[in-house]
Amino acid sequence: MKPLPIVVLISGGGSNLRAIIDAVEKQNLPAKIRAVISNCPDACGLQRACNSGIETQVVDHRQFVDRDSFDHALQQAIDSYDPELVVLAGFMRILTPRFVAHYQGRMINIHPSLLPAYRGLRTHQRALEANDTRHGASVHFVTSDLDGGPVIIQAEVPVLSCDTPDTLAARVLALEHKIYPQAIRWFTEGRLRLEGDVASLDGQPLMKPVYWEDSQ
Ligand code: GAR
């Protein structure tokens, strides 16, 4: 299978990026990461990309007067690599509707909560404050509804009475590293699509997200 060209956007540590690179290098994920682009010049993930010989670019949002001009520059940077899928992996910027529309059906995100619960930030803290017994992560298509696009796959962890936001985040992150490569694999294999505002897998609309069993 010809590898699908993808571009990964990051803002920070890049552990999800690392998981995607590992899946490409060691698990035959049929993708070619043409570039990793960050809005933060000091994102550690840029070094991870360099170490794997992947091209990197920085489009620093602080250099732009408004969201529109930043998104325009970001779009130009992404499109110069002609990707078929844009993967947001800890990319912490709110995107303009025009930018999102340009990548409709070919941009996915990972979010550290069981969407639709806890869109936005501080998800682990909020799950603890609500005394939730389960928490997790979701991969979804990006739409102009922030963290509100159709969910593809989710993984859950139990919330433990001794959890802090950091311990909970670490257990969720470990599962993020499994479900993101899986969702990307489905897309590269042509099995995953956005049809209208519904995600479909193998031609079947996903009435609810696929639930990741950790034995997979
Ligand atoms: C991950 O937990 C990801 O789900 C989250 O940022 C972290 C990035 O970690 N993304 C969001 O909160 C997006 N709203 P990483 O840089 O180590 O992959």
Side-chain angles (χ1 to χ4, degrees):
M1 187 182 291
K2 192 165 168 280
L4 192 91
I6 69 177
V7 165
V8 182
L9 304 190
I10 61 167
S11 296
S15 70
N16 276 290
L17 167 67
R18 177 72 259 164
I20 297 163
I21 293 171
D22 281 350
V24 171
E25 290 179 347
K26 300 177 191 155
Q27 290 149 30
N28 289 323
L29 176 64
K32 165 79 183 159
I33 306 174
R34 287 204 174 147
V36 170
I37 301 176
S38 174
N39 63 308
C40 298
D42 52 358
C44 300
L46 290 169
Q47 192 56 50
R48 289 180 195 254
C50 285
N51 293 346
S52 294
I54 298 167
E55 206 170 308
T56 61
Q57 256 199 55
V58 174
V59 183
D60 185 345
H61 61 279
R62 291 167 302 186
Q63 308 288 326
F64 297 86
V65 287
D66 55 23
R67 264 187 214 287
D68 268 330
S69 49
F70 168 68
D71 279 8
H72 181 69
L74 183 61
Q75 185 178 315
Q76 284 191 316
I78 295 169
D79 289 352
S80 70
Y81 296 100
D82 207 14
E84 291 186 36
L85 180 67
V86 177
V87 175
L88 308 186
F91 186 68
M92 305 305 279
R93 298 293 302 167
I94 293 175
L95 300 163
T96 54
R98 195 195 312 204
F99 179 93
V100 171
H102 181 71
Y103 298 105
Q104 176 84 357
R106 52 191 184 109
M107 181 157 63
I108 57 176
N109 180 44
I110 190 153
H111 184 75
S113 78
L114 295 171
L115 291 170
Y118 310 124
R119 299 178 186 198
L121 301 175
R122 298 175 45 255
T123 57
H124 310 297
Q125 173 89 38
R126 288 155 70 200
L128 287 172
E129 283 166 3
N131 290 318
D132 289 352
T133 55
R134 314 288 299 172
H135 185 49
S138 310
V139 178
H140 64 94
F141 279 104
V142 176
T143 65
S144 55
D145 188 15
L146 180 67
D147 297 330
V151 180
I152 299 157
I153 184 169
Q154 291 186 320
E156 281 190 9
V157 296
V159 180
L160 308 178
S161 55
C162 56
D163 265 327
T164 64
D166 285 349
T167 60
L168 188 52
R171 286 208 309 290
V172 170
L173 196 59
L175 288 180
E176 292 185 35
H177 299 161
K178 297 184 177 177
I179 62 174
Y180 217 5
Q182 175 64 80
I184 295 167
R185 186 179 296 279
W186 285 331
F187 193 93
T188 60
E189 292 170 346
R191 298 172 59 189
L192 174 66
R193 288 203 167 82
L194 182 66
E195 290 171 0
D197 54 2
V198 176
S200 77
L201 185 63
D202 296 331
Q204 299 300 314
L206 286 174
M207 305 315 282
K208 55 184 175 96
V210 177
Y211 178 76
W212 173 267
E213 299 285 350
D214 208 23
S215 56
Q216 281 169 284

